[in-house]
Amino acid sequence: ILFPAFEQATGNSMGPTRVMRMEHDQMRELFTQMQAALDAGDTQTYAGLSETLLVLLQQHNFKEEQMLYPMADRALQDCDSLIQKMEAL
């Protein structure tokens, strides 16, 4: 909900939201790999993947909170409507 609204307001789908989507995909892939490691009983691989996920999440959250969200606050006019749509999910 947020990303399409931001992209429409800024006319930019190649900027920060593209990076966020790519990182979301990376996290999903890590979860898949972590599940495979659990299924195989490979705790060492699972631990390594979980550390990778932790670092990725920390960096990702920093970018969202320090860059994307402030940019969205400036670009988006009807934040209340967007918030209602997100809460409805």
Side-chain angles (χ1 to χ4, degrees):
I1 292 172
L2 176 63
F3 289 5
F6 176 80
E7 292 165 353
Q8 183 177 9
T10 63
N12 185 358
S13 64
M14 299 304 287
T17 53
R18 181 171 183 243
V19 173
M20 295 295 108
R21 284 188 174 102
M22 287 173 33
E23 291 178 359
H24 291 166
D25 290 342
Q26 288 174 323
M27 286 182 253
R28 285 186 197 96
E29 178 57 29
L30 282 169
F31 284 124
T32 298
Q33 292 175 16
M34 290 167 70
Q35 184 63 57
L38 281 177
D39 292 345
D42 186 349
T43 57
Q44 187 173 7
T45 297
Y46 179 85
L49 291 167
S50 67
E51 287 181 35
T52 300
L53 178 62
L54 176 62
V55 171
L56 182 59
L57 277 169
Q58 289 170 332
Q59 294 171 349
H60 180 84
N61 288 343
F62 180 81
K63 285 184 258 185
E64 276 187 335
E65 293 167 6
Q66 299 302 315
M67 296 167 58
L68 179 63
Y69 295 156
M71 290 172 74
D73 283 342
R74 290 189 298 272
L76 298 170
Q77 302 301 317
D78 189 10
C79 292
D80 291 338
S81 173
L82 287 173
I83 291 169
Q84 289 175 354
K85 288 177 184 177
M86 288 186 274
E87 287 176 339
L89 287 176

